[in-house]
Amino acid sequence: MAISYDKLVNRKFERIDQKYTEKDSILYALGVGLGIDPLDRDCLPFVYEDGLKALPSMAVVMAYPGFWAKEPDTGIDWVKVLHAGQEVVMHKPLPASGQVYATTRVTDVIDKGEGKGALIFSERTVMDAATDEPLCTLLMTTIARGDGGFGGPAGQTPKPNPIPDREPDTVCDLPTLPQQALIYRLSGDYNPLHADPDVAKNAGFEAPILHGLCTFGVACHALVKTLCDYDPARFHRMSVRFSAPVYPGETIRTEIWREGNSVAFRCRSVERDLVVINNGYAEVS
């Protein structure tokens, strides 16, 4: 069964309702590395219930529709699917606990051609169930490597956010724990690639890799720390392209260029000197 453009962009997704507690916010923050230094008083408000704050990147796990590309009606060769890009637009700071709902929709599909795959763009806006006000909008880009040449529109691939051709204005190094993926998966992504050494080896990796969205969360932490003085209300938008996996235990270096409230950034594994997130863009105040 091949991809059908019309079927995907008109696919109906079920509304997802989610109640989350302060424990969930704390677990997410621990999963992306806050609290590694338990004496760091700047990080403590994200991992301790007294005056608890939610890290903005926690938006990615809220009202999550699951791995819907695996459903038979999509026609997607799900084994060859990769998460290529992620954007989060914050409409207001996330409450540390509450109830939310969202519905996902496919906004576009680009056929890159036989052997080149397809790009699938999806969107969900997470709403506060108590007020029916939007909290955040999440835009996701997926590469379906096995589905190019299905006869859909070629379209134009979005241009990547540019990285300045100069030394970064500031750099932030954040360590990850060897068990980081085992903690992060408890926020809802149970793909065995991030936990089972045999599954990881069969997929061509030396060991289980960190979730891309965990690396996304580490980058968000670096930006909130470096540019927002740990105030989530000053963080408004973030988008990235994933370029390489991270192994738990590696240090992630976020290189940051700032022009007013606009920020360009990228992340690299310090140990392997390898860019793992590229063409990052953020807006802060």
Side-chain angles (χ1 to χ4, degrees):
M1 181 178 179
I3 283 180
S4 164
Y5 177 87
D6 290 337
K7 193 171 183 180
L8 270 185
V9 297
N10 291 295
R11 188 178 192 270
K12 300 299 182 184
F13 290 79
E14 292 185 5
R15 167 172 151 163
I16 305 295
D17 291 84
Q18 177 187 356
K19 182 177 181 180
Y20 68 101
T21 66
E22 291 186 339
K23 181 179 178 180
D24 296 313
S25 295
I26 291 170
L27 183 61
Y28 174 82
L30 291 170
V32 297
L34 284 91
I36 286 181
D37 178 0
L39 299 183
D40 186 337
R41 292 189 176 275
D42 290 322
C43 290
L44 195 60
F46 295 89
V47 294
Y48 177 52
E49 61 274 13
D50 187 7
L52 184 66
K53 303 176 185 178
L55 194 68
S57 57
M58 189 175 74
V60 300
V61 302
M62 301 181 78
Y64 177 59
F67 189 30
W68 57 267
K70 191 176 180 179
E71 299 298 321
D73 69 293
T74 66
I76 298 171
D77 184 357
W78 64 269
V79 177
K80 297 180 181 179
V81 160
L82 290 176
H83 193 168
Q86 181 70 50
E87 181 172 0
V88 172
V89 181
M90 304 302 301
H91 304 301
K92 60 194 308 184
L94 300 176
S97 61
Q99 188 156 341
V100 297
Y101 67 89
T103 302
T104 296
R105 68 187 185 99
V106 174
T107 58
D108 200 5
V109 185
I110 294 176
D111 189 348
K112 298 179 67 177
E114 185 70 33
K116 297 180 180 179
L119 290 176
I120 302 171
F121 301 91
S122 59
E123 174 187 294
R124 77 181 189 273
T125 296
V126 179
M127 309 290 290
D128 187 331
T131 64
D132 286 328
E133 294 178 339
L135 292 173
C136 54
T137 297
L138 301 117
L139 307 168
M140 181 175 175
T141 304
T142 301
I143 295 181
R145 293 178 297 163
D147 295 292
F150 67 91
Q156 186 172 355
T157 303
K159 292 183 179 180
N161 297 308
I163 296 294
D165 186 19
R166 58 181 170 86
E167 290 297 309
D169 298 320
T170 188
V171 170
C172 179
D173 286 359
L174 293 173
T176 63
L177 296 168
Q179 65 269 36
Q180 199 77 59
L182 297 176
I183 302 172
Y184 183 84
R185 69 193 303 268
L186 299 178
S187 289
D189 188 339
Y190 294 101
N191 187 332
L193 177 64
H194 308 293
D196 190 323
D198 292 332
V199 171
K201 185 176 181 180
N202 289 337
F205 299 105
E206 298 173 7
I209 59 175
L210 206 60
H211 305 68
L213 287 179
C214 183
T215 306
F216 183 88
V218 176
C220 177
H221 177 194
L223 297 174
V224 170
K225 173 182 179 178
T226 306
L227 304 176
C228 304
D229 196 26
Y230 280 104
D231 180 0
R234 295 174 55 190
F235 188 93
H236 306 299
R237 180 189 295 260
M238 175 179 175
S239 66
V240 305
R241 286 193 173 192
F242 297 109
S243 53
V246 171
Y247 287 101
E250 293 182 336
T251 299
I252 298 175
R253 172 170 295 163
T254 303
E255 301 168 334
I256 300 167
W257 295 262
R258 184 166 185 177
E259 295 289 343
N261 292 337
S262 297
V263 179
F265 69 95
R266 68 184 172 207
C267 301
R268 66 175 70 242
S269 161
V270 171
E271 289 78 4
R272 290 178 291 145
D273 192 25
L274 178 69
V275 174
V276 296
I277 281 180
N278 210 351
N279 305 110
Y281 173 79
E283 294 176 3
V284 299
S285 59

